[in-house]
Structure formats: C-alpha cells, structure tokens
C-alpha cells in the first residue's frame, strides 16, 4: 500500500493510475484503449485489498474528465462506495474515527461528481519537458494534523527531461517548532509498519507531474543540507543502498508520517533505525598506521 490521505486523490496508487492515464491521453491515446491497457498492466493492484479501490477511483475520474465514463466502471465505483467496502478496509487498517468520517464524506462527494454531466472534455496537453521540483539537499517542512511540523529531505534529482523525479526521504520529525537544519541533519528516517508495511523505509522517487496542481500548498523549503552520497534512479532494487526505493506521482509524505505516528499509539514503533546522516554522509574511516 502506498501513502494515504482521506481525499480520493491522496493515495499513491490513485496518483500513479491517474498520471499514467493522462500521460497516454496527452500523447493521443483513446480513453477506452488506455483504460484497457491500464487494467491489463496493473492487474496486480486489483489483488491488493488496500489498493484495488484506488485503481477504480482513478480510472473513473479520468474517464469522467474525458467524457468516456464506462457504465461498468461507474457501477463498480458506486458499489464500492454504497456498500462501505472502502471504509471497511480503512477500519481494518486501524484508521481513526476522524479519518473514517472524512473519508466517507470524500467518497460521497466523489460519487456525486462522477454521476454528474461534465460540460466538456478535458483538453489534451502538449507534452512538456520535465524538471525536478526540488534541489538535492532541500529540507521540506509540512504540517501534521496534530499541529506539529514534520519534514523530509531531498536526496537526489533525476535530470531526464521525460521524468524529472526527486528522491525524498521522509523523516520522523514531529515537533512544535519548525525544524532547523540541525534538526534535519539529526533526524531519523521514517520507517513504516502501519497497515501491511513491515519496516518499510520511506524513501521514494516522486514524479513532478501533479505537484503544483495538488500538493504544492502542503510543503515548503526550509533550507538545504549537504548530501555527499549519490543515488541513481535506475537502481530499482536499491543495490548498495540502505533502502529499496519506491516510485510515485503522489507527494504524500505528510500522510505517510501521520499514519505511522497514529499507528504507534496502539503498536510499537519499528525497532529498525535509519538516520538522515546515514543517507547523506560518506563514512570516514580512520587510517591506522
């Protein structure tokens, strides 16, 4: 499962499906052919209880925006929402009553939206060259629902104009005051054991596509620290790294942190510890003569 917020778009699975649909649509693809390709290619998501609904929600919204909503997809989404099947998944994952209420409202508004008539088809966009949102070493601050500040550190950039990813490590910062550079340098990396995660290090390559539209208001840069290590985007398995990276277009570091901290109210935090220093500083060995 990727990171989640209560809004329909606030899951990595949704963001990835929605982004892929419009990547193909903007290149001239037909909605029905794109939809079939996505279902065929992403069939494994439909076998993951925590993520399968996000596929149908993303597909339904993309089809609605292109005035091609398949009645079968609409029926599937309607059944998921009316039966409270999605809310049951959240309950099973230990979501709080507050989260459940917010999610229910979001689901009902979403169903109402896609059952309405969209005035016109969303126009295709010209493909633009992509650049990473942030620079290596940028320290990102975000607010948590408890009123505290959380944070993340940018470890790498991908300068391929077709992708433009940033590699970001979410931290365990959770404090009253806005984090200083020293706080970031001394922070632990967020390791997730909520839901189905088992000590998953939260270090992810984030696509730039949806940032300014859906996530820019959630994050601000609060300085920059030195990153001495280099990370390669083609190292899919994280060989030689202290983590295995993930990929997504949903910038949901804040929700990932919130879900983990909420989970720790009823279960132990992961015993594994990883620090920002370990991911940014080269080990300096003393020479023995």
């Amino acid at each position: 499962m990727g990171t989640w917020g209560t809004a329909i778009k606030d899951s990595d699975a949704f963001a990835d499906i929605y982004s892929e649909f419009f990547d193909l649509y903007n290149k001239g693809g037909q909605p029905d052919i794109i939809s079939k390709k996505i279902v065929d290619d992403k069939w494994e998501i439909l076998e993951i209880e925590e993520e399968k609904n996000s596929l149908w929600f993303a597909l339904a919204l993309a089809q609605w925006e292109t005035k091609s909503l398949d009645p079968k997809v609409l029926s599937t989404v309607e059944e998921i929402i009316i039966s409270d099947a999605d809310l049951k998944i959240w309950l099973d994952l230990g979501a709080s009553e507050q989260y459940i209420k917010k999610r229910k409202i979001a689901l009902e508004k979403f169903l109402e939206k896609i059952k309405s008539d969209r005035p016109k088809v969303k126009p295709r966009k010209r493909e633009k060259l992509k650049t990473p949102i942030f620079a290596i070493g940028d320290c990102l601050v975000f607010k948590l629902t408890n009123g505290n500040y959380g944070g993340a550190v940018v470890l790498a950039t991908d300068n391929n104009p077709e992708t433009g990813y940033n590699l970001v490590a979410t931290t365990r910062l959770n404090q009253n005051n806005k984090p200083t550079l020293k706080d970031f340098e001394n922070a632990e990396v967020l390791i997730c054991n909520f839901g189905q995660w088992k000590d998953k290090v939260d270090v992810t390559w984030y696509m730039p596509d949806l940032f300014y539209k859906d996530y820019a208001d959630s994050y601000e840069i609060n300085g920059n620290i030195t990153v001495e290590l280099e990370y390669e985007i083609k190292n899919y398995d994280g060989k030689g790294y202290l983590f295995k990276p993930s990929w997504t277009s949903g910038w949901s570091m804040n929700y990932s942190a919130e879900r983990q901290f909420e989970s720790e109210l009823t279960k132990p935090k992961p015993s594994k510890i990883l620090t920002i220093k370990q991911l940014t500083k080269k080990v300096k060995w003393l020479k023995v003569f």
Side-chain angles (χ1 to χ4, degrees), residues 38 43 46 51 59 62 88 90 106 111 124 146 170 173 180 194-195 207 220 247 269 272 276 283:
I38 287 175
W43 61 269
L46 296 175
E51 295 187 348
L59 206 56
K88 183 179 184 302
W90 280 59
L111 182 59
R124 300 180 194 270
N146 62 9
T170 309
L173 289 173
T180 65
F194 67 85
M207 305 177 201
E220 65 172 294
W247 278 261
K269 62 175 284 191
K272 180 178 178 179
I276 288 298
V283 176

Side-chain angles (χ1 to χ4, degrees), residues 119-160:
K120 57 183 180 181
V121 175
K122 184 173 183 175
R124 300 180 194 270
K125 294 182 179 179
R126 285 186 177 183
E127 189 173 6
K128 297 180 180 179
L129 297 181
K130 300 175 183 178
T131 57
I133 301 296
F134 300 107
I136 296 174
D138 279 350
C139 297
L140 312 181
V141 173
F142 51 82
K143 290 298 290 288
L144 300 167
T145 54
N146 62 9
N148 285 350
Y149 290 96
V153 176
V154 179
L155 300 178
T157 59
D158 158 38
N159 294 313
N160 183 332

Side-chain angles (χ1 to χ4, degrees), residues 203-222:
V203 180
T204 301
W205 287 102
Y206 290 92
M207 305 177 201
D209 305 62
L210 302 178
F211 180 80
Y212 289 112
K213 179 183 177 183
D214 296 324
Y215 302 100
D217 291 341
S218 298
Y219 303 97
E220 65 172 294
I221 301 174
N222 194 39

Side-chain angles (χ1 to χ4, degrees), residues 3-14 49-58 80-81 84-91 95-111 259:
T3 51
W4 284 7
T6 55
I8 295 296
K9 292 184 176 182
D10 289 338
S11 86
D12 290 346
F14 182 104
E49 191 69 13
E50 297 88 349
E51 295 187 348
K52 63 181 182 182
N53 293 342
S54 289
L55 182 146
W56 295 118
F57 295 161
I80 291 169
I81 294 174
D84 288 338
D86 189 72
L87 298 181
K88 183 179 184 302
I89 292 174
W90 280 59
L91 282 169
S96 67
E97 184 177 345
Q98 180 185 17
Y99 267 81
I100 295 297
K101 287 181 179 179
K102 288 183 178 180
R103 181 65 171 179
K104 184 175 178 63
I105 292 171
L107 290 169
E108 291 173 349
K109 287 184 177 180
F110 177 65
L111 182 59
R259 291 299 304 280

Side-chain angles (χ1 to χ4, degrees), residues 44-98:
E44 71 277 5
I45 292 180
L46 296 175
E47 296 187 350
I48 302 174
E49 191 69 13
E50 297 88 349
E51 295 187 348
K52 63 181 182 182
N53 293 342
S54 289
L55 182 146
W56 295 118
F57 295 161
L59 206 56
L61 181 60
Q63 290 181 350
W64 179 79
E65 290 179 345
T66 55
K67 291 184 73 69
S68 62
L69 182 54
D70 185 334
K72 292 182 180 179
V73 173
L74 174 59
S75 178
T76 298
V77 170
E78 188 169 24
E79 175 61 24
I80 291 169
I81 294 174
I82 291 177
S83 68
D84 288 338
D86 189 72
L87 298 181
K88 183 179 184 302
I89 292 174
W90 280 59
L91 282 169
D92 290 344
L93 290 171
S96 67
E97 184 177 345
Q98 180 185 17

Side-chain angles (χ1 to χ4, degrees), residues 225-261:
I225 63 175
T226 300
V227 178
E228 298 174 353
L229 303 179
E230 295 183 1
Y231 297 97
E232 171 55 51
I233 191 168
K234 293 183 179 179
N235 188 350
Y236 305 111
D237 295 324
K239 185 177 181 181
Y241 299 165
L242 295 174
F243 58 88
K244 181 178 180 179
S246 303
W247 278 261
T248 184
S249 57
W251 294 72
S252 304
M253 295 91 77
N254 52 346
Y255 293 115
S256 181
E258 286 175 359
R259 291 299 304 280
Q260 181 59 34
F261 296 147

